[in-house]
Amino acid sequence: HRAVLQETVPTLDLKILAGWIETADAPYFLVHELASGEAISRYRALDLHACDEQGCSTRELPGFPVASDESDASLFVVGSEIFLSNGPGEPVQPVGTGFNPFWIDGETFGFVRFEGEPDTGITTQVVLGDRAGSEPRVLFDGYDLSQVAAIPWGSLLYVHEVIPSPVDPEILLVSSTGIRDQSGNYFIFSLDMSDSQNQPALNLEVARSGSMGGVPGVFSPTGLPTFLVSPNGRWLAMAELNSQDRETWTIVVHDLQTGITKEVSNGVPAMPGNFPLLDWSGDGQWLLIGDRDFLHLIAPGHEYEEYVAHEFDACSQLVWAD
């Protein structure tokens, strides 16, 4: 990959293969670039299906892409602005100010945004829009989350991100953290949008004390995801920073079928950066955790854990191959 990037991407101080992007027409690698003396990220698509002895072709992207896997449309995050492109080579159109966009289906998308004034209070809203250009509509906000979590009205919850279930995109999973007297607590909710006749119902799935970490391997311009959903849609994996040493992590798994949350591994060192390495197997039966000395193979549905020693203490990525 280093040779491919050296041949095809202008020389910059930092070049990162940030992730594999699935689109309706073809997958590609996302290349994240940061030039010397600049704080602005640039992005390129590296097409491994268009390679020869000279390297692979790349194309510039207008921002960080969130591609629909059911159509050729993409959302692009540029700073705090979100834009929509309805196909390759199509111009991007402004959608609104916000962060962490996501797709419901090939036509409908959503994102998180701030709403309110400093004098009257600011909250986060989750809004939905569509490719037809309709005005985004509010799905829920931080006040709704506080009510469902049965916490004081003045203790707003800050929405971090929304991730559709991989088996049913009408089931949304929402991570949030508390502020004011709820600072240091985090919450995860589920929302079922399949009943179009009624207002979608929010359900509290997880409420825990601790600081949530990110999951390396899935890159976003606003930070790393706060939880990782298994491909079968059953499990959520989260990393909590241990309050005692502030250097190791507790891995927590939540079962969306039974509602049971349990700690599956403790004292996992950050490796080699600020967050532990996690990945689910393709069938969702195994959670893979990496630290400096071991790979932890955990089957949460069977109360089983296995350790595999390794000598690659400088690894920065961990991927389950199938």
Side-chain angles (χ1 to χ4, degrees), residues 11 63 120 164 174 193 219 239 242 254 271 277 286 289 304:
T11 301
T120 58
V174 184
M193 301 200 310
F219 183 84
N242 288 328
H254 176 74
M271 180 208 142
L277 304 177
W286 291 91
I289 306 170
Y304 178 79

Side-chain angles (χ1 to χ4, degrees), residues 142-153:
Y143 293 109
D144 297 321
L145 298 184
S146 299
Q147 184 175 11
V148 172
I151 64 175
W153 181 258

Side-chain angles (χ1 to χ4, degrees), residues 99 113-125 141-143 146 153-159 179-180:
F99 56 96
R113 71 182 182 188
F114 289 102
E115 182 64 24
E117 299 294 336
D119 295 338
T120 58
I122 298 176
T123 186
T124 45
Q125 295 179 334
D141 62 19
Y143 293 109
S146 299
W153 181 258
S155 301
L156 279 178
L157 297 186
Y158 175 89
V159 180
I179 60 175
R180 300 170 187 159

Side-chain angles (χ1 to χ4, degrees), residues 156-214:
L156 279 178
L157 297 186
Y158 175 89
V159 180
H160 282 278
E161 61 190 321
V162 180
I163 299 178
S165 166
V167 295
D168 184 354
E170 291 191 316
I171 302 295
L172 303 183
L173 301 165
V174 184
S175 67
S176 65
T177 54
I179 60 175
R180 300 170 187 159
D181 61 327
Q182 290 296 313
S183 177
N185 298 327
Y186 73 87
F187 305 81
I188 296 181
F189 301 82
S190 62
L191 180 112
D192 188 351
M193 301 200 310
S194 59
D195 187 0
S196 60
Q197 301 301 316
N198 299 305
Q199 179 72 18
L202 282 161
N203 297 296
L204 179 62
E205 297 287 347
V206 178
R208 288 179 63 90
S209 296
S211 300
M212 297 183 74

Side-chain angles (χ1 to χ4, degrees), residues 252-275:
V252 179
V253 169
H254 176 74
D255 187 343
L256 288 168
Q257 289 186 7
T258 66
I260 295 175
T261 306
K262 57 187 176 183
E263 298 179 5
V264 297
S265 193
N266 208 328
V268 177
M271 180 208 142
N274 296 323
F275 301 100

Side-chain angles (χ1 to χ4, degrees), residues 161 186 210-216 224-228 237-241 249-250 274-276 278:
E161 61 190 321
Y186 73 87
S211 300
M212 297 183 74
V215 180
L224 300 168
T226 47
F227 62 93
L228 192 65
M238 298 150 284
E240 295 177 1
L241 185 64
W249 298 85
T250 296
N274 296 323
F275 301 100
L278 307 178

Side-chain angles (χ1 to χ4, degrees), residues 54-97:
Q54 301 299 320
C56 302
S57 64
T58 64
R59 58 184 172 89
E60 292 189 18
L61 300 173
F64 176 82
V66 179
S68 167
D69 58 6
E70 295 186 14
S71 69
D72 56 355
S74 291
L75 297 165
F76 292 96
V77 182
V78 183
S80 61
E81 300 295 324
I82 299 176
F83 298 84
L84 169 70
S85 176
N86 283 313
E90 294 291 325
V92 292
Q93 303 295 328
V95 170
T97 300

